[in-house]
Amino acid sequence: RAWSWRSQAFRGLVYQVLAVAVLLAVVGFLVHNTLLNMRLRGIQSGFDFLWGPAGFDIGEGLFTFDSAQSYAMALLAGLLNTLRVALLGIVLTTVIGVGVGVGRFSHNALLRGLCRAHVEFFRNVPVLLQLLMWYLVFTEVLPDALAPWRWGSVFLSKGGLSFPSPAWMDGAVVWDVPFLGEFAVEGGAALTPEFMALLLGLTTYTSAFVAEVVRAGIASVPAGQIEAAQALGLSAHLQMRLVTLPQALRVIIPPLTNQYLNLTKNSSLAVAIGYPDVVSIANTSINQTGRAVECIALIMLVYLFTSLSTSLCMNAYNARAALRER
């Protein structure tokens, strides 16, 4: 009976197999048609270009890259730049979003107003405009590199943000402290205007949505729980930390995952302000090699991998925070 057409499970299995077969047929047709048209027009295809010299430099990255290295290394540098801004953005977005969301319930009217203004302004301005706004601030408003703003060993100017960083020297770790040189700030670690504009733009935009997620999660906690905490004599701070937020997490985590995914995918707008992320480097590779299909496929794989990895981590955390019924 399990293999009978009258079996709902059997019919469901057949429909799923047919759906997968149709999908594979459509994908196969598109791939075959694309390759055929490219061959007729004399357009080269394949991923062999990845091992050839890139012929261009990358302004910043987690490792030194020169034009003699391959396209594969260039795309790796772009991927690391994307991951760097995405991971830092997620951390800052969480801190700011949670703070603003909790601040919406403050007894201080001024604090509540500032938190609401943050949400209403940054949520309703397109993220691309915010990136351009921050980029103009760093490149037009800040002082020149020869006259930076200084706070101790930290320098801020149109050339970026310079600060002390640990360095390995003579078998020991020492601090590499930046100093004002003849033409610019030298030494230490530095963050470029492009990186800071992208990071701040993504953070301020996404944190407004995260704040609303947190506010909705807190509002979903039954009033009786808060009354019980007050009856125990807990302060407002302890009520929020020990009673309200732990229960609100079960409502907050699923939509919070979507905001993390949006932040990662919105990082592709970095090309608008000249930050060398994976999309920017892939566009340069397309212009030089003409392998548009291959480069776009690599970009899709990168964002598919990052999105699935983020979802996997957040789903695991959501499983830990979920209620366990007896």
Side-chain angles (χ1 to χ4, degrees):
R1 294 180 58 185
W3 293 96
S4 171
W5 188 253
R6 296 181 179 179
S7 171
Q8 183 179 2
F10 176 73
R11 292 198 306 271
L13 177 62
V14 171
Y15 292 147
Q16 292 179 47
V17 171
L18 289 176
V20 172
V22 171
L23 179 62
L24 292 176
V26 171
V27 172
F29 170 77
L30 292 176
V31 172
H32 173 74
N33 193 48
T34 301
L35 294 176
L36 180 61
N37 288 330
M38 292 174 65
R39 192 179 305 112
L40 292 176
R41 289 165 175 78
I43 301 176
Q44 295 182 346
S45 61
F47 293 92
D48 55 300
F49 75 97
L50 291 174
W51 317 120
F56 59 86
D57 295 325
I58 298 178
E60 66 176 296
L62 296 181
F63 63 88
T64 304
F65 179 86
D66 61 72
S67 58
Q69 292 180 281
S70 63
Y71 284 101
M73 293 301 297
L75 291 171
L76 176 61
L79 172 60
L80 294 178
N81 284 341
T82 297
L83 294 178
R84 179 174 64 153
V85 73
L87 293 176
L88 286 176
I90 286 174
V91 173
L92 293 177
T93 292
T94 304
V95 173
I96 297 175
V98 172
V100 173
V102 173
R104 296 289 299 272
F105 294 89
S106 174
H107 297 294
N108 188 311
L110 177 60
L111 180 58
R112 288 199 313 271
L114 290 175
C115 292
R116 182 171 183 176
H118 174 91
V119 171
E120 297 300 332
F121 177 79
F122 290 110
R123 186 178 61 171
N124 294 298
V125 177
V127 61
L128 180 58
L129 293 181
Q130 295 191 39
L131 296 182
L132 295 175
M133 175 190 71
W134 286 112
Y135 185 67
L136 289 176
V137 168
F138 285 114
T139 57
E140 299 295 336
V141 177
L142 293 182
D144 294 331
L146 292 177
W149 290 340
R150 181 174 183 175
W151 302 274
S153 300
V154 178
F155 298 85
L156 180 62
S157 67
K158 293 180 180 179
L161 177 67
S162 300
F163 52 91
S165 64
W168 187 263
M169 184 178 298
D170 297 330
V173 178
V174 297
W175 284 97
D176 184 9
V177 180
F179 60 93
L180 186 59
E182 185 177 355
F183 300 103
V185 177
E186 302 177 8
L191 300 178
T192 64
E194 292 78 12
F195 174 80
M196 291 189 294
L198 178 63
L199 181 62
L200 285 176
L202 294 177
T203 299
T204 53
Y205 178 76
T206 313
S207 65
F209 291 91
V210 171
E212 283 297 276
V213 169
V214 172
R215 184 192 63 81
I218 294 175
S220 70
V221 177
Q225 297 291 319
I226 301 175
E227 294 172 356
Q230 292 173 346
L232 292 174
L234 296 178
S235 64
H237 171 71
L238 290 178
Q239 290 174 30
M240 184 64 68
R241 185 168 66 89
L242 299 178
V243 178
T244 307
L245 275 181
Q247 297 185 66
L249 274 179
R250 303 180 181 98
V251 180
I252 291 173
I253 294 175
L256 184 63
T257 303
N258 292 332
Q259 298 306 322
Y260 289 166
L261 297 178
N262 289 336
L263 185 147
T264 303
K265 290 181 287 188
N266 285 337
S267 66
S268 61
L269 295 173
V271 65
I273 57 175
Y275 179 71
D277 73 324
V278 66
V279 175
S280 176
I281 293 176
N283 287 338
T284 303
S285 302
I286 291 174
N287 293 332
Q288 294 189 175
T289 64
R291 307 291 178 90
V293 175
E294 292 82 354
C295 290
I296 293 176
L298 290 174
I299 295 174
M300 294 173 63
L301 287 176
V302 165
Y303 284 104
L304 180 63
F305 171 77
T306 55
S307 297
L308 291 178
S309 299
T310 303
S311 298
L312 181 64
C313 295
M314 292 302 295
N315 288 339
Y317 183 62
N318 187 38
R320 292 187 59 185
L323 283 173
R324 290 173 174 81
E325 299 181 359
R326 296 181 179 178

